[in-house]
Amino acid sequence: MLTITQALYDQIVAHARRDHPDEACGVVAGPAGSDRPERFVPMLNAAMSPTFYEFDSGDLLKLYRELDDRDEEPVIIYHSHTATEAHPSRTDISYAGEPGAHYVLVSTADTDGLGEFQFRSFRIVEGEVTEEEVKVVEAY
């Protein structure tokens, strides 16, 4: 189960809506080994695409150095789907390289009247996708 604060939930959703119609992407870091998302890190979608996201390689290198310096890890890796449901695509699954992370998908299809808003979380390990419950709390 993913437990996330309302404030972080709102930041992820706001980023997804702000970047629509392109996919938004980012990370929520937390203390290594804690499974507690704490620090919101919105990233630039280098692909600038409504159907694909890609972290900028320079930004990603900077992020991982920062995570190491702060003894953090990516607890949540998030991105949005702009015209489809919030479920990992084959591409999303193939790029999922953090087996301990929660992969959050936000569908902004409702922005265009194409579907309902969705905020869902998945574990993706060795190509296996498992949806998990999302619990939103005021504070930890």
Side-chain angles (χ1 to χ4, degrees):
M1 175 170 60
L2 168 62
T3 302
I4 185 172
T5 63
Q6 185 69 57
L8 287 168
Y9 178 100
D10 292 346
Q11 287 177 296
I12 292 170
V13 171
H15 183 206
R17 292 198 184 281
R18 187 171 56 249
D19 282 12
H20 186 88
D22 289 338
E23 289 193 4
C25 58
V27 170
V28 182
S34 71
D35 197 37
R36 190 176 65 231
E38 292 184 353
R39 188 168 61 91
F40 178 68
V41 185
M43 304 284 282
L44 172 70
N45 178 356
M48 294 185 174
S49 167
T51 59
F52 182 73
Y53 83 97
E54 181 177 32
F55 291 122
D56 176 83
S57 58
D59 289 349
L60 200 55
L61 180 61
K62 180 181 169 209
L63 171 66
Y64 273 90
R65 285 184 176 151
E66 203 175 86
L67 293 174
D68 283 344
D69 291 347
R70 296 171 66 123
D71 197 25
E72 292 177 327
E73 63 189 3
V75 177
I76 294 172
I77 298 171
Y78 73 87
H79 77 280
S80 60
H81 281 183
T82 61
T84 59
E85 71 172 323
H87 193 278
S89 68
R90 284 187 306 243
T91 304
D92 296 338
I93 295 165
S94 70
Y95 285 146
E98 291 286 347
H102 302 269
Y103 285 87
V104 166
L105 280 96
V106 176
S107 175
T108 57
D110 66 311
T111 304
D112 294 334
L114 298 173
E116 289 184 30
F117 171 78
Q118 298 174 336
F119 184 109
R120 298 166 73 185
S121 183
F122 302 87
R123 295 292 191 151
I124 304 174
V125 180
E126 296 180 8
E128 278 295 312
V129 178
T130 307
E131 186 165 7
E132 61 184 353
E133 181 183 344
V134 176
K135 181 179 178 185
V136 180
V137 297
E138 283 306 311
Y140 301 124

